[in-house]
């Protein structure tokens, strides 16, 4: 009997799998995808604000845009904005592909995002469908990190609050007469015809 490998099968430590969340290889559960999407939005927002302040497009003192807004975007800063947008789109696609892998679907399903109306249903599917609990052809399920869960629940809470606030503001404006109801708009438009 070989004494070098005499430990039983169950007492061996499995080799850790290195998972880089910024590559399309691997899987993302629902909370991981929402958490990383929230992180991506925070980083992109900070980068855009920082670049806008650095090139002088936006001024905090006047809280206004610069008059030469278009002229500034034609130079090097325009390329920097383009780089931020391209990186944002790339990482968003990576997160969607990883979520599709968790659903045991190929990354090509991401092309449904290009079709209007269908893309809304597709995003709802990505957010609500439960992933494969077992190993699939894309690997083992990836547990969500604590910070991913916290950020995901914050994103969900902020989304619900923004929907509620939008409905409340619209309701208030309709009640005070600042925003006309659809029936009032139709009644006023029939006077012209």
């Amino acid at each position: 009997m070989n004494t070098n490998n005499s430990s039983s099968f169950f007492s061996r430590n499995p080799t850790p799998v290195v998972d880089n969340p910024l590559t399309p290889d691997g899987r993302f559960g629902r909370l991981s995808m929402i958490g990383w999407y929230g992180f991506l939005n925070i980083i992109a927002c900070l980068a855009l604000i920082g670049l806008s302040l650095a090139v002088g497009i936006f001024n905090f003192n006047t809280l206004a845009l610069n008059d030469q807004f278009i002229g500034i975007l034609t130079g090097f800063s325009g390329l920097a904005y383009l780089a931020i947008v391209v990186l944002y789109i790339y990482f968003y696609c990576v997160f969607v592909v990883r979520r599709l892998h968790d659903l045991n679907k190929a990354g090509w399903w991401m092309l449904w995002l290009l079709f209007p109306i269908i893309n809304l249903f597709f995003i709802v599917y990505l957010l609500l469908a439960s992933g494969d609990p077992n190993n699939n052809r894309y690997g083992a399920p990836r547990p969500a990190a604590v910070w991913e869960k916290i950020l995901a629940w914050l994103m969900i809470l902020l989304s619900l609050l923004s929907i509620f606030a939008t409905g409340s503001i619209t309701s208030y404006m309709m009640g005070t007469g600042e925003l006309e109801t659809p029936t009032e708009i139709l009644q006023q438009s029939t006077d012209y015809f």
Side-chain angles (χ1 to χ4, degrees):
M1 178 179 237
N2 188 358
T3 59
N4 293 341
N5 197 6
S6 62
S7 63
S8 69
F9 176 77
F10 295 106
S11 65
R12 291 186 206 154
N13 290 332
T15 58
V17 177
V18 178
D19 182 42
N20 184 357
L22 301 178
T23 62
D25 301 326
R27 297 170 58 175
F28 265 171
R30 289 178 279 209
L31 291 179
S32 293
M33 181 188 166
I34 296 170
W36 277 97
Y37 179 67
F39 182 70
L40 175 67
N41 282 319
I42 291 168
I43 295 298
C45 184
L46 291 177
L48 289 172
I49 290 172
L51 185 60
S52 296
L53 291 173
V55 298
I57 289 178
F58 186 75
N59 187 349
F60 266 137
N61 295 331
T62 61
L63 295 177
L65 293 174
N66 192 342
D67 295 336
Q68 293 83 21
F69 179 69
I70 301 298
I72 292 173
L73 289 180
T74 59
F76 176 73
S77 61
L79 292 175
Y81 280 109
L82 182 64
I84 291 172
V85 169
V86 167
L87 285 172
Y88 181 89
I89 292 170
Y90 169 75
F91 286 119
Y92 179 72
C93 290
V94 165
F95 301 154
V96 170
V97 166
R98 289 179 69 98
R99 179 68 183 126
L100 285 168
H101 288 175
D102 191 52
L103 298 168
N104 206 15
K105 308 274 187 228
W108 292 107
W109 280 55
M110 179 183 55
L111 294 176
W112 286 112
L113 291 171
L114 298 176
F115 299 103
I117 307 299
I118 295 173
N119 60 3
L120 297 174
F121 292 107
F122 184 68
I123 290 170
V124 169
Y125 168 71
L126 289 177
L127 293 175
L128 298 180
S130 61
D132 190 359
N134 303 319
N135 290 349
N136 63 19
R137 60 184 169 167
Y138 300 104
R142 179 185 178 275
V146 173
W147 73 268
E148 292 173 352
K149 292 178 184 179
I150 292 171
L151 192 56
W153 282 109
L154 283 174
M155 290 290 294
I156 293 168
L157 181 65
L158 286 175
S159 298
L160 293 174
L161 286 175
S162 67
I163 291 169
F164 177 73
T166 302
S168 297
I169 290 170
T170 304
S171 174
Y172 172 76
M173 291 177 75
M174 289 177 110
T176 60
E178 295 177 27
L179 185 66
E180 297 176 340
T181 62
T183 55
E184 292 173 347
I185 294 171
L186 287 174
Q187 288 173 351
Q188 290 175 0
S189 65
T190 56
D191 294 339
Y192 299 113
F193 297 109

